[in-house]
Structure formats: C-alpha cells, structure tokens
Amino acid sequence: MKIVSWNVNSVRARIENILEYINDSNPDILFLQEIKTQNENFPSESFAKSGYNSYVFGQKSYNGVAFVSKSKIENIKRDFIKDKLKQSRIITGEILINKKKIKLINIYVPNGNPVDTEKYEYKKDWLTSFIKKIKKELTINSNIIISGDFNIIPEEIDVYDSKRYEDDALYRLEIRKKFRELINYGFSDLFRHFNKSKHEYTFWDYFAGSWKKNYGMRIDHFLASNNLIGNVKSITINKKPRSKTKPSDHTPIELEIS
DNA sequence: ATGGCTGAGCTACTCAGA
C-alpha cells in the first residue's frame, strides 16, 4: 500500500498538478495539508473521477486537511484535539493493513513564526495538546501512522543552513524537543530511520531561487509506531512535483507499507 | 540571507506561509 503526504498549498490552485501526480504515482491514500478551502468547495468530483474518496476537514482561506483514498477510510474524526483557535489542522481515520487496524493521523502543525508572538505560543500549546493526546491514543491502539506538515526541522542535517534557523519557530530547540518527545513515546521518523545521513528536503521557498539552489528543509514527516517499522517497504521524497510549473512549495513524501 | 513569491478573498490590499 502506498500512502503519500503532501502539503499542496491550495487544493484548488493545485488540482491539475495533483491529478497528474495521482496518474503518475498511483497512491492508495493521500494525506493532504493546506487545502485552503471549505468542505463544500473541495474538488471531490475530480478525485472521484480518478477513483478516489475524499474525507475533508476544510477551512476558508487557510489551513485545512484531507484524506483522498481509493478504499474507504473508517471512523473519520475531525476533533482529535481541541484546537484553541478552531483551525482545521487534524483529520484521523482507520484502515486495515494485513488485518491490523491502523490509526491514520494527518496533521498540519502551526507554523509559529514570528517567535515572540502569540503565534509561537499557539504552536507550542498545539504541540503539547497533540503529544498528550497521542500518549493517550497509544493506550487504545498501538498501530499508528502520523504524517503531514509538522513545520519542524528535526536536526541540523534537515535544513540547508541551520544557523539561520536557530531562533526560528521551525528549528528552535524548544520545538525540536517536542518532536523528540513525540518520537520517544515509541515512534520512528521513517525517512531518517532508513536514511541515516541523507540531506533531503520536502520544502523549498518560492522566492530567491531556493529550489534551484536547493535551499530547502525537511519539515514533512512520516512517523510510524515502532511496531510497524517491519512493515515498511520504502520511504521516499519525490522531488518531481516541486519541479513542475505552478508547484506547491512542498513536495510529496511517499510510504510503501504492507 | 530575509521575506524579494504565492494563494485566498476580493477586486485593493491584507493576511499568511516558513
């Protein structure tokens, strides 16, 4: 089974690119973030034509997450945590892989910049609530996949110039510690697990020729509960969609699991 | 090496992203 996570930076502005990606890559499930639209304007019909069901937690203009899936996803929920600002940032569901019930958690973590504002506090609080809920969730179901745009650069090798980001909400030590805390509850950062020293990125700014210069960062992640690592066939960052015209600033990360 | 792109909502310009 191929599961893909992609911050598309507007599902409507990106629909042609996404459909082309689906046609090329044939994913079973897409975790989308930053769909930037309300449920009623989500292009479910376009995905249906390609054979996919849509499960949407939208919001006007900003944020928004969705699952797009060939098979049905059960037990869809949009209230995994109580979001203080009522932003649409998490959708969860359940699937069966090899008769194992797997909890799917699709997240779009707040950016948090600039750091001396309430935006940063919101990010910290959000992560605190999320981690607390995950800890609780592990007592119910030990098979969990968390994926999405974490807006966290886990380590120095995950950004082209870490010095520049030391006081940035994506790389501040305090934020990276939250990521470590989550991992320490029993998850693996799958890309890093299978690529111990690779410098690969999932995001490049639109401006200043960032893509051409490879000034990127790895902020989109697949976390799997440790008991699922043996089921992972591959984890790949697919840079092709970032090179297309009218691209998202993020590129898909692809998980093969059986 | 910051905000010089980009998108939404709206239809002039702000807000947001990272």
Side-chain angles (χ1 to χ4, degrees), chain A residues 39-67:
Chain A
N39 293 6
E40 55 268 37
N41 294 324
F42 189 87
S44 304
E45 301 79 11
S46 303
F47 290 118
K49 275 183 201 158
S50 299
Y52 290 81
N53 304 292
S54 296
Y55 305 91
V56 185
F57 185 25
Q59 182 183 332
K60 194 174 183 177
S61 304
Y62 309 115
N63 313 313
V65 288
F67 291 121

Side-chain angles (χ1 to χ4, degrees), chain A residues 3-202:
Chain A
I3 306 178
V4 173
S5 176
W6 191 8
N7 177 324
V8 291
N9 185 18
S10 171
V11 70
R12 288 192 288 168
R14 211 70 58 215
I15 189 64
E16 291 309 319
N17 285 27
I18 300 170
L19 293 174
E20 191 181 328
Y21 171 77
I22 284 176
N23 199 43
D24 288 351
S25 299
N26 193 28
D28 294 287
I29 304 175
L30 282 166
F31 288 33
L32 302 181
Q33 303 89 34
E34 263 203 289
I35 59 170
K36 290 186 168 178
T37 191
Q38 288 160 298
N39 293 6
E40 55 268 37
N41 294 324
F42 189 87
S44 304
E45 301 79 11
S46 303
F47 290 118
K49 275 183 201 158
S50 299
Y52 290 81
N53 304 292
S54 296
Y55 305 91
V56 185
F57 185 25
Q59 182 183 332
K60 194 174 183 177
S61 304
Y62 309 115
N63 313 313
V65 288
F67 291 121
V68 171
S69 175
K70 281 185 189 171
S71 312
K72 286 230 156 61
I73 299 178
E74 305 296 337
N75 203 16
I76 292 284
K77 301 261 196 240
R78 295 164 179 82
D79 60 353
F80 188 72
I81 64 166
K82 195 172 155 193
D83 192 301
K84 280 181 185 165
L85 301 183
K86 299 198 186 311
Q87 298 185 347
S88 303
R89 295 182 174 277
I90 308 187
I91 187 167
T92 64
E94 287 168 2
I95 55 164
L96 289 176
I97 301 180
N98 273 338
K99 296 174 186 170
K100 238 192 234 179
K101 190 164 87 179
I102 314 271
K103 178 101 179 180
L104 303 180
I105 302 176
N106 176 7
I107 64 171
Y108 175 47
V109 178
N111 175 296
N113 278 312
V115 292
D116 54 352
T117 65
E118 68 287 347
K119 290 186 181 189
Y120 184 71
E121 295 305 314
Y122 172 56
K123 181 180 196 172
K124 273 202 298 182
D125 292 346
W126 196 97
L127 284 167
T128 301
S129 314
F130 180 70
I131 292 166
K132 193 175 161 191
K133 184 63 196 284
I134 289 293
K135 196 179 170 187
K136 196 174 164 191
E137 187 66 34
L138 279 166
T139 65
I140 305 164
N141 188 347
S142 57
N143 305 312
I144 301 178
I145 293 172
I146 307 169
S147 188
D149 178 357
F150 283 65
N151 272 317
I152 300 175
I153 301 163
E155 298 173 84
E156 192 180 337
I157 60 168
D158 296 312
V159 60
Y160 70 99
D161 181 1
S162 63
K163 282 260 181 311
R164 278 190 50 198
Y165 287 87
E166 276 169 1
D167 205 26
D168 187 283
L170 278 68
Y171 187 66
R172 255 201 181 180
L173 192 56
E174 187 176 38
I175 296 297
R176 288 191 280 142
K177 278 183 173 171
K178 297 270 190 207
F179 189 76
R180 294 311 314 171
E181 187 187 347
L182 180 57
I183 296 281
N184 289 339
Y185 282 127
F187 292 91
S188 171
D189 170 357
L190 293 178
F191 181 81
R192 189 52 72 214
H193 181 84
F194 289 99
N195 304 279
K196 295 296 183 205
S197 59
K198 255 189 190 171
H199 289 62
E200 275 199 59
Y201 309 133
T202 62

